[in-house]
Amino acid sequence: MAFEGNSSSSSRLQVLTSHLSPHTPMASAVPSDSPTIFDKIINKEIPANIVYEDDKVLAFRDISPQAPTHILLIPKVKDGLTGLSKAEERHCEILGRLLYTAKLVAKQEGLDENGFRLVINDGKDGGQTVFHIHLHLLGGRELNWPPG
């Protein structure tokens, strides 16, 4: 799972997990264009610690950070883009916007001097658990390679 709240992350985690099916582990989620937890965050139905928002992209802190800075960037309109492997030529603009926004957020977070990592998990074997394309922006410490 991947969002972060500020002061009450445990209660936010309870809210987030309450929206998941108790019978289906997240790792075995099936890609679809149906609404996801990210849609609920976009619609402000679920709280998130938002660090950036414009008309196309929303960025918020991960509730289970894998680095001192761990931010998710998502397009506000999914448009069938459940994962990178589903990208079509019509998605080029939003994919570029996500990458550029990641650069802006990295600078805002003070990561531009020492660097950062962007990760896109795609599909079950790629570790994707929410089928709404998203970038993980990681930084704030030296990141190892290979990642896992």
Side-chain angles (χ1 to χ4, degrees):
M1 202 50 163
F3 332 102
E4 177 164 345
N6 230 358
S7 59
S8 59
S9 60
S10 64
S11 65
R12 288 181 183 180
L13 182 58
Q14 289 173 332
V15 169
L16 294 172
T17 56
S18 72
H19 290 279
L20 302 172
S21 168
H23 307 293
T24 307
M26 288 194 54
S28 65
V30 177
S32 76
D33 206 27
S34 58
T36 69
I37 198 96
F38 290 171
D39 294 298
K40 293 179 184 219
I41 291 172
I42 291 165
N43 294 328
K44 311 294 193 241
E45 297 169 20
I46 294 176
N49 187 349
I50 296 170
V51 298
Y52 178 92
E53 182 172 14
D54 65 23
D55 60 326
K56 306 253 187 230
V57 176
L58 183 69
F60 51 94
R61 296 195 188 278
D62 194 301
I63 61 165
S64 181
Q66 302 302 304
T69 301
H70 187 167
I71 295 170
L72 298 174
L73 296 99
I74 61 173
K76 289 177 132 180
V77 175
K78 191 174 359 176
D79 187 28
L81 196 52
T82 56
L84 190 58
S85 61
K86 303 300 182 193
E88 297 179 12
E89 190 169 346
R90 74 176 194 265
H91 297 121
C92 287
E93 183 178 337
I94 192 62
L95 290 169
R97 181 73 170 260
L98 286 167
L99 288 172
Y100 183 72
T101 303
K103 175 244 183 196
L104 296 177
V105 172
K107 182 175 177 87
Q108 172 185 301
E109 295 289 315
L111 302 176
D112 54 331
E113 186 174 320
N114 290 322
F116 55 91
R117 179 175 293 164
L118 294 176
V119 175
I120 300 175
N121 298 323
D122 189 79
K124 183 176 101 27
D125 285 354
Q128 186 176 8
T129 57
V130 179
F131 291 91
H132 181 136
I133 195 163
H134 54 286
L135 277 68
H136 295 259
L137 170 63
L138 302 157
R141 67 169 168 83
E142 187 173 341
L143 301 169
N144 297 321
W145 194 260

